[in-house]
Amino acid sequence: MPQPEMHWLFAYGLTQFIEAPIYFFLLYRAHQAVSDTAPAARLAVSALLPSALTHPILWWVAFPALYATFGYWGTAAACEVTLTAIEGLVLVAFLPTTPPRRRTYGFGGSVLGNASSFTTGLITSHFFDWP
C-alpha cells in the first residue's frame, strides 16, 4: 500500500476539483427550483463541505483500518458507498427546505460526484501513477 501522506493533498485537491462543481450546480439548481436566491459564496462553501468532511476520514482512518482485511477493491467499495451516503446527507442538509425531489438532488448528486472523482482517480493513477 502506498504511503498515504505522500499523495493525500493531491488526491484531496483532485476530489474537490471534480466534486465541488457538481455539488455547486445541484445546490444552485435546487435553490432556483424554489425561487430562492442563495449567495454564491454560501453555495460554494456548501459545495466544498461534503468532501472536506469525508475525504480525510477516508484517507487517514477508514482506508488504513480496512485495507489489511479487505484489500484495495473491498476497502474502496465499502468506503465509497459509505462516504457517498454521508455526503448525500450533508448535501440534503444544505438544500432548501421545500425543493421538489430534495433527496434525489442530494443523494443523486453525491453518487454523481463520487463516481466522477473515483473514476478520475483511477484514470490518473493508471496513466500517471498519481495520486
Side-chain angles (χ1 to χ4, degrees):
M1 184 166 139
Q3 294 298 319
E5 61 276 358
M6 298 291 290
H7 300 291
W8 178 77
L9 187 58
F10 296 111
Y12 177 70
L14 182 63
T15 298
Q16 288 290 23
F17 181 77
I18 300 297
E19 292 181 13
I22 293 169
Y23 296 162
F24 181 88
F25 180 73
L26 84 89
L27 290 165
Y28 176 77
R29 294 293 293 179
H31 281 274
Q32 274 189 329
V34 294
S35 300
D36 181 24
T37 55
R42 187 176 101 201
L43 294 177
V45 169
S46 300
L48 291 167
L49 189 60
S51 298
L53 293 174
T54 59
H55 198 276
I57 295 167
L58 163 74
W59 195 276
W60 299 108
V61 178
F63 210 91
L66 299 174
Y67 184 81
T69 305
F70 299 108
Y72 178 81
W73 291 108
T75 301
C79 288
E80 285 297 324
V81 168
T82 303
L83 297 179
T84 298
I86 292 169
E87 290 182 15
L89 288 171
V90 172
L91 288 169
V92 167
F94 284 102
L95 289 169
T97 56
T98 58
R101 299 179 303 272
R102 182 176 182 194
R103 284 174 285 204
T104 303
Y105 273 91
F107 289 105
S110 180
V111 168
L112 178 61
N114 280 284
S116 299
S117 65
F118 183 74
T119 302
T120 302
L122 289 177
I123 291 168
T124 60
S125 183
H126 177 76
F127 287 108
F128 307 110
D129 197 29
W130 177 84

